[in-house]
Amino acid sequence: PETQASILRVLQERLVYRLGGREPHAARIRVVAATNRDLTPMLEDGRFRGDLYHRIATWVVELPPLRQRRLDIPNLAAFFLAREAERHGRRVGGLTRGAVDALVAFDWPGNIRQLEHEMARAVLFLEDGEVLDTARLHPAVLAGGTLKRTGSLDDARAAVERDEIVAALHAHRGDVAAAAARLGIS
């Protein structure tokens, strides 16, 4: 609470005191803040100041977890793999379809950082010019996939829609109207 009050004061007055200083100095400030917590309950029970929230939350971007953005996984994995290979002075031939399928099927509880670390780990086991296949993936990634391949595009589409609806309902704390408005559905 004390830190929040100090931050709010600086944002409102645009003056800062240097450490050990006695004179205020004008400050041009732009705040970019990120959190993995839902601030709504924190606002309601007073753990986060409402006036500070409204001062800094002028533009809010919600980024869903990687497990809700499975289409991003192949590109992110290829990017991280290439970056790590370059860092280690290796050439890699990309990823096999099986490796991509395994990565997409995994739920990534550690989110994008876990995917990044998995690609960094995999590069250590690849020879120059080798393609990343399932044999080089961590056993937890291979064993932990929960995405079911039904073979039917309609079933896959329905599963994605269901996941998006559940995520929207969760984001709007069960408010069906707000979730539907966010998704653009009735």
Side-chain angles (χ1 to χ4, degrees), residues 54-125:
H54 294 294
R55 175 70 70 168
I56 63 174
T58 56
W59 192 52
V60 176
V61 177
E62 288 186 31
L63 187 61
L66 194 54
R67 69 183 161 277
Q68 292 177 4
R69 299 179 294 127
R70 293 189 191 276
L71 293 177
D72 293 343
I73 293 173
N75 288 333
L76 288 168
F79 170 78
F80 292 139
L81 184 69
R83 185 180 70 187
E84 287 301 315
E86 182 179 325
R87 200 179 89 158
H88 290 285
R90 293 201 177 114
R91 277 183 316 103
V92 293
L95 296 109
T96 66
R97 168 53 54 200
V100 169
D101 288 345
L103 294 171
V104 169
F106 190 63
D107 273 343
W108 301 106
N111 220 341
I112 199 163
R113 284 187 187 90
Q114 186 181 10
L115 175 62
E116 183 178 12
H117 292 154
E118 177 61 18
M119 294 299 96
R121 189 197 66 74
V123 164
L124 298 176
F125 297 104

